[in-house]
Amino acid sequence: MNTEDRIYQEALSVATMYYYQGLTTEAIAREMNFSRPKVSRLLSHARSSGMVEIKIVNVQKALSPLERQIRDTFGLDAVHIVPAPELMGEVVWLERVARYTANYLNSVLSGGDILAIAWGTTISEIASNLIPHRVPELRVVQLNGSGNTFTPDNRYAANILHHFAQNYEANVMLFPVPTFFDYRETKAAMWQERSIRRIIDLQQEASVLLYSIGSVNAGVPSHVYSTGYLDPEDMEELEREQVIGDLATVFFREDGSWDDIPLNSRASGPPLSLYRKARRAICVVSGRNKVPGLRAALKARLMSELILDEPTARLLCRSGDCGEVEQ
């Protein structure tokens, strides 16, 4: 038996004894003649490899007062607030939100679904925390192009999409176009090509959308603003247009308006109307500076489901947008 097979069998035995037989790590160590640290490592391997799937069932469908207030105020189908200590900082907040989302997706996706993904810092962190789980006939499609002057090869988004595809044993459809075209006429011409139309049609048919709010000033910087996708002239235009955030590199203002922002006519992301009609539009947000954009997106009904960390949730409601939160 090679090393990989041996580790698999050991992890399987340890996981069976721990989860099915209710033995402690100390009892397992004695029975298998392992050290307790080795038992812990094997249990961790069993969870991270997808051998063990942990599912928390909220049998009473109970929401915290803060979750209920956000859900009811903004008319959402679901709100998930991830506990995180405020003093730990935004990097830790994002890590916890990403781990929660990675676990949650395994309970959301079903055979035959189309999962449309907007690449970026938050989604990249989720991709790094995915837990292997086969979803039959799942298709993964990229929501917006990711080529720019410096990285025309689409590598950043492709790596994220391939993580999802490998994790779920899914087919992947990349979107090999620039994030922003130089000319709106070029985009209009490209959108007539059958190969591009096929991807756009898949985006429109997606049963699950997964995305975050882009913010120029985020504590953990949004990828599109920090890596050369926007020229100084573009940034000046966004400031003139009073842009407060973006979804899949389509920009919007505080009042949720977006269709008359000039840069959007050159953007490769889908129209924001897509988020209102999708069966499940899951927005994942973490960080103080994303709150203004999140608030605008919520008021504009650009999501059906929200996952965010507790400090960000409290900041969202601190302005009074969520009314009086029960204690």
Side-chain angles (χ1 to χ4, degrees):
M1 182 183 298
N2 61 37
T3 301
E4 185 176 339
D5 289 341
R6 178 179 54 77
I7 292 173
Y8 178 88
Q9 291 298 327
E10 288 177 349
L12 182 61
S13 297
V14 166
T16 300
M17 286 189 281
Y18 186 81
Y19 290 104
Y20 281 179
Q21 299 175 19
L23 299 183
T24 65
T25 54
E26 186 176 4
I28 296 169
R30 283 199 307 268
E31 186 166 325
M32 298 196 70
N33 198 27
F34 291 160
S35 67
R36 286 183 67 182
K38 180 173 182 177
V39 171
S40 297
R41 287 195 301 271
L42 289 168
L43 284 172
S44 295
H45 176 72
R47 288 191 293 268
S48 63
S49 67
M51 185 185 298
V52 172
E53 292 186 359
I54 299 174
K55 183 178 181 181
I56 299 172
V57 181
N58 185 351
V59 291
Q60 296 183 354
K61 307 297 181 186
L63 297 179
S64 72
L66 191 56
E67 287 172 327
R68 187 182 309 112
Q69 200 71 26
I70 294 173
R71 183 199 65 183
D72 294 347
T73 298
F74 298 106
L76 298 173
D77 293 338
V79 175
H80 311 260
I81 295 178
V82 180
E86 188 160 359
L87 292 175
M88 295 296 288
E90 296 195 7
V91 171
V92 173
W93 302 357
L94 176 57
E95 288 173 354
R96 293 201 178 185
V97 167
R99 289 194 195 103
Y100 179 95
T101 305
N103 278 277
Y104 179 64
L105 285 173
N106 283 3
S107 68
V108 166
L109 298 172
S110 301
D113 274 346
I114 299 173
L115 171 64
I117 296 175
W119 53 266
T121 303
T122 300
I123 307 304
S124 178
E125 187 70 22
I126 295 168
S128 298
N129 285 279
L130 292 171
I131 300 169
H133 177 69
R134 182 176 182 274
V135 181
E137 299 181 12
L138 177 71
R139 287 174 287 175
V140 176
V141 61
Q142 183 177 335
L143 268 178
N144 54 320
S146 62
N148 66 26
T149 305
F150 305 103
T151 56
D153 60 2
N154 206 38
R155 187 178 306 164
Y156 176 77
N159 286 338
I160 294 172
L161 271 288
H162 280 301
H163 267 300
F164 278 87
Q166 290 171 2
N167 190 78
Y168 297 115
E169 299 182 29
N171 293 319
V172 63
M173 183 68 72
L174 300 178
F175 199 17
V177 299
T179 308
F180 302 102
F181 289 88
D182 289 335
Y183 306 99
R184 68 180 69 189
E185 294 82 5
T186 310
K187 173 185 170 181
M190 284 286 288
W191 262 224
Q192 299 303 312
E193 292 290 327
R194 283 181 297 171
S195 59
I196 299 300
R197 286 290 340 156
R198 182 184 173 207
I199 299 170
I200 293 171
D201 288 344
L202 277 176
Q203 294 169 354
Q204 293 293 318
E205 295 167 12
S207 41
V208 180
L209 305 181
L210 182 67
Y211 56 99
S212 186
I213 305 286
S215 173
V216 66
N217 296 315
V220 181
S222 296
H223 190 79
V224 71
Y225 297 101
S226 61
T227 50
Y229 286 85
L230 295 164
D231 295 331
E233 295 81 5
D234 296 327
M235 297 298 293
E236 290 172 8
E237 178 186 310
L238 297 181
E239 187 173 353
R240 272 196 317 273
E241 293 292 332
Q242 298 181 310
V243 162
I244 202 165
D246 77 272
L247 300 184
T249 58
V250 174
F251 302 96
F252 56 89
R253 303 183 183 92
E254 188 174 0
D255 63 2
S257 61
W258 60 275
D259 55 354
D260 61 340
I261 296 173
L263 189 53
N264 286 342
S265 66
R266 299 191 284 111
S268 59
L272 299 189
S273 55
L274 175 64
Y275 302 91
R276 293 173 176 161
K277 74 174 189 177
R279 188 192 82 196
R280 201 162 197 163
I282 303 174
C283 185
V284 185
V285 177
S286 181
R288 296 180 185 90
N289 289 324
K290 292 200 172 189
V291 169
L294 172 60
R295 185 182 294 118
L298 283 165
K299 290 180 176 179
R301 309 283 183 180
L302 298 180
M303 65 195 74
S304 62
E305 196 163 341
L306 174 62
I307 302 173
L308 74 171
D309 60 84
E310 186 173 358
T312 300
R314 294 199 177 281
L315 188 58
L316 171 67
C317 290
R318 199 168 292 158
S319 65
D321 279 341
C322 303
E324 193 69 27
V325 179
E326 304 169 31
Q327 298 300 321

